[in-house]
């Protein structure tokens, strides 16, 4: 049960709830030493992959973000899962949280509104800094210390009664608040390991430890180069993020859950045409990602992801557009993944396209083509 708040803290909480936040708490400003040590060990293991920014500015010291800060408000904004359905063969999957408005914009706007309300409540101008996940702050730990929930085995914050399907935000304020911080919530996962077993790429080293280099969210969003060949088939038709570890969590099973209106799915993202994505131009890219979280990755990577997804879709209608991409796309990264995707389909048309690409001007593409041709040659023939 939440501890009662009084005075200005209670007024700030009520103002935050009125803005649509489903949970509000206050975290200490002292360094998160234990979490900082865990992050250092995780980084030392190399689990962060290309996300070098995580090793930059210390993320466990909130006051570095605002020296004048005297309090740290932590909030959660919910999104509800879509009704389950079977995707069409040439349809790409976008993680549910990214199907609506860009949560960075939504959260920052609401936090700025909360800061303005705090100034009114305090009766003076307030120095404030809103933070979303792009700020160097261990927001999951801040939320845990603020009493919002606990860190689940999936490494996500889990709010009892709400689940893991939330976006977190923080607001640093130069307001001194009288608070009695709640004791951090202990994990309630028990013996459940559903999230660990559901991960398509086996990205969990164990409970509470994720190797981001194998995570589909990392592979489709953060990774700049080639998706490791041994993981491509496991990505399926996902082109931006992955919902699997959250989909199976029992805490997310409530039939009716709160959801911010801004996160309602856009039709263009709820059903994404993989062939159109493979052939996406600059103007189409700008239109597709405008004011969405898909802006986090560039056009080349989205098209790369489309090639992988078309290789996994199981529909022979994917072969002609993949052959065109291998022959004509200006990006070597895309051509290389198109070659791999053609090897997944096989057949004379795929083989002919690969043979014609053996002299591609890029060495990495030639290597992918050689691998794909060898894979086709080694594949068992129908009726053989």
């Amino acid at each position: 049960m939440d501890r009662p708040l009084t005075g200005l803290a209670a007024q700030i909480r009520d103002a935050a709830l009125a803005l649509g936040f489903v949970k509000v708490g206050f975290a200490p400003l002292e360094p998160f030493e234990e979490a900082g040590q865990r992050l250092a060990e995780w980084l030392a293991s190399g689990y962060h992959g290309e996300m070098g920014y995580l090793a930059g500015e210390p993320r466990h010291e909130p006051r570095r973000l605002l020296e004048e800060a005297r309090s740290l408000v932590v909030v959660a904004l919910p999104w509800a899962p879509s009704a389950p359905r079977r995707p069409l063969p040439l349809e790409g999957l976008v993680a549910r949280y990214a199907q609506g408005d860009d949560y960075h914009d939504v959260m920052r706007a609401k936090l700025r509104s909360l800061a303005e309300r705090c100034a009114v409540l305090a009766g003076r101008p307030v120095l404030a800094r809103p933070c979303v996940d792009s700020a160097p702050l261990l927001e999951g730990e801040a939320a845990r210390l603020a009493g919002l929930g606990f860190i689940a085995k999936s490494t996500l914050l889990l709010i009892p009664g709400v689940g893991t399907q939330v976006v977190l935000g923080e607001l640093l304020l130069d307001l001194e608040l009288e608070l009695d911080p709640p004791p951090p919530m202990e994990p309630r996962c028990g013996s459940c390991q559903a999230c660990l077993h559901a991960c398509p790429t086996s990205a969990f080293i164990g409970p509470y430890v994720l190797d981001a280099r194998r995570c589909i969210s990392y592979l489709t969003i953060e990774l700049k180069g080639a998706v490791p060949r041994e993981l491509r088939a496991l990505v399926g038709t996902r082109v931006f993020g992955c919902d699997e570890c959250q989909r199976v969590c029992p805490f997310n099973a409530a039939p009716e859950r709160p959801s911010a209106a801004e996160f309602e799915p856009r039709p263009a993202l709820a059903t994404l045409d993989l062939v159109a994505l493979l052939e996406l131009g600059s103007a189409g890219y700008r239109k597709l990602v405008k004011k969405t979280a898909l802006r986090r990755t560039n056009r080349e990577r989205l098209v790369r992801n489309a090639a992988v997804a078309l290789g996994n879709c199981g529909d022979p209608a994917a072969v002609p557009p993949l052959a065109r991409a291998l022959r004509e796309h200006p990006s070597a990264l895309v051509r290389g993944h198109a070659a791999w995707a053609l090897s997944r389909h096989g057949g004379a048309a795929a083989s002919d396209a690969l043979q014609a690409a053996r002299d591609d001007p890029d060495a990495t593409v030639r290597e992918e083509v050689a691998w794909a041709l060898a894979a086709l040659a080694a594949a068992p023939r129908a009726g053989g």
Side-chain angles (χ1 to χ4, degrees):
M1 180 180 293
D2 293 340
R3 293 194 177 188
L5 296 173
T6 58
L8 185 55
Q11 292 177 309
I12 292 173
R13 176 204 56 201
D14 292 344
L17 293 173
L19 285 168
F21 295 117
V22 73
K23 198 77 172 177
V24 186
F26 299 86
L29 286 168
E30 289 74 22
F32 310 153
E33 296 293 357
E34 290 186 12
Q37 180 59 37
R38 290 194 297 271
L39 174 62
E41 293 171 356
W42 186 78
L43 291 168
S45 298
Y47 295 148
H48 61 300
E50 292 184 357
M51 296 184 291
Y53 58 85
L54 294 175
E57 187 177 351
R59 309 178 77 83
H60 65 291
E61 301 176 11
R63 276 201 175 93
R64 281 180 171 265
L65 300 176
L66 184 68
E67 291 183 4
E68 298 86 350
R70 296 294 178 268
S71 58
L72 175 58
V73 187
V74 187
V75 296
L77 194 62
W79 51 270
S82 302
R85 65 179 183 82
R86 185 182 295 276
L88 299 174
L90 296 178
E91 181 179 297
L93 300 176
V94 173
R96 173 61 185 83
Y97 77 88
Q99 292 180 19
D101 293 350
D102 189 339
Y103 67 89
H104 299 90
D105 297 339
V106 173
M107 181 63 78
R108 286 193 191 100
K110 287 182 179 291
L111 289 173
R112 290 190 188 105
S113 296
L114 180 59
E116 292 171 0
R117 182 58 183 161
C118 288
V120 173
L121 294 170
R124 68 166 176 85
V126 170
L127 191 61
R129 176 168 178 179
C131 301
V132 196
D133 64 1
S134 54
L137 179 66
L138 290 173
E139 59 178 6
E141 181 67 2
R144 185 184 77 86
L145 293 173
L148 269 66
F150 61 89
I151 304 300
K153 291 178 181 178
S154 64
T155 73
L156 299 170
L157 182 83
L158 199 159
I159 302 175
V162 178
T164 64
Q165 292 161 328
V166 297
V167 176
L168 298 176
E170 302 77 39
L171 185 65
L172 289 152
L173 298 167
D174 70 342
L175 291 174
E176 198 77 58
L177 302 176
E178 293 185 9
L179 296 168
D180 182 15
M185 197 178 297
E186 294 299 318
R188 301 182 188 178
C189 294
S191 61
C192 179
Q193 297 190 359
C195 59
L196 310 184
H197 298 316
C199 179
T201 55
S202 302
F204 290 103
I205 303 301
Y208 313 107
V209 183
L210 175 74
D211 184 347
R213 297 170 299 182
R214 298 185 64 88
C215 176
I216 291 175
S217 288
Y218 169 83
L219 296 172
T220 57
I221 301 171
E222 300 283 352
L223 182 65
K224 296 179 175 63
V227 177
R229 201 176 284 147
E230 68 274 14
L231 298 179
R232 294 175 191 172
L234 304 177
V235 171
T237 56
R238 302 173 186 88
V239 296
F240 190 93
C242 178
D243 291 325
E244 287 305 301
C245 64
Q246 299 191 75
R247 184 184 62 81
V248 301
C249 177
F251 284 88
N252 291 332
E256 293 187 8
R257 309 241 323 283
S259 182
E262 296 90 341
F263 297 152
E264 283 301 301
R266 300 182 179 191
L269 296 180
T271 57
L272 197 57
D273 185 319
L274 285 174
V275 174
L277 187 61
L278 182 71
E279 299 174 347
L280 193 67
S282 297
Y285 168 79
R286 289 192 296 271
K287 181 179 179 181
L288 177 69
V289 307
K290 185 178 182 180
K291 296 183 179 180
T292 77
L294 272 70
R295 293 183 294 181
R296 289 177 58 193
T297 194
N298 62 22
R299 176 166 65 102
E300 182 184 43
R301 278 179 268 168
L302 277 178
V303 178
R304 172 203 65 188
N305 299 343
V308 172
L310 284 168
N312 293 326
C313 73
D315 190 328
V319 171
L322 284 170
R324 285 196 301 273
L326 177 58
R327 182 174 64 250
E328 302 172 1
H329 203 281
S331 166
L333 182 67
V334 172
R335 297 199 304 277
H337 285 74
W340 173 87
L342 286 166
S343 77
R344 296 275 291 169
H345 288 280
S351 179
D352 290 347
L354 288 166
Q355 290 287 352
R358 290 168 61 185
D359 295 327
D360 189 280
D362 186 271
T364 61
V365 177
R366 293 196 299 272
E367 194 277 331
E368 288 278 9
V369 168
W371 184 94
L373 286 169
L376 283 181
R381 296 180 180 275

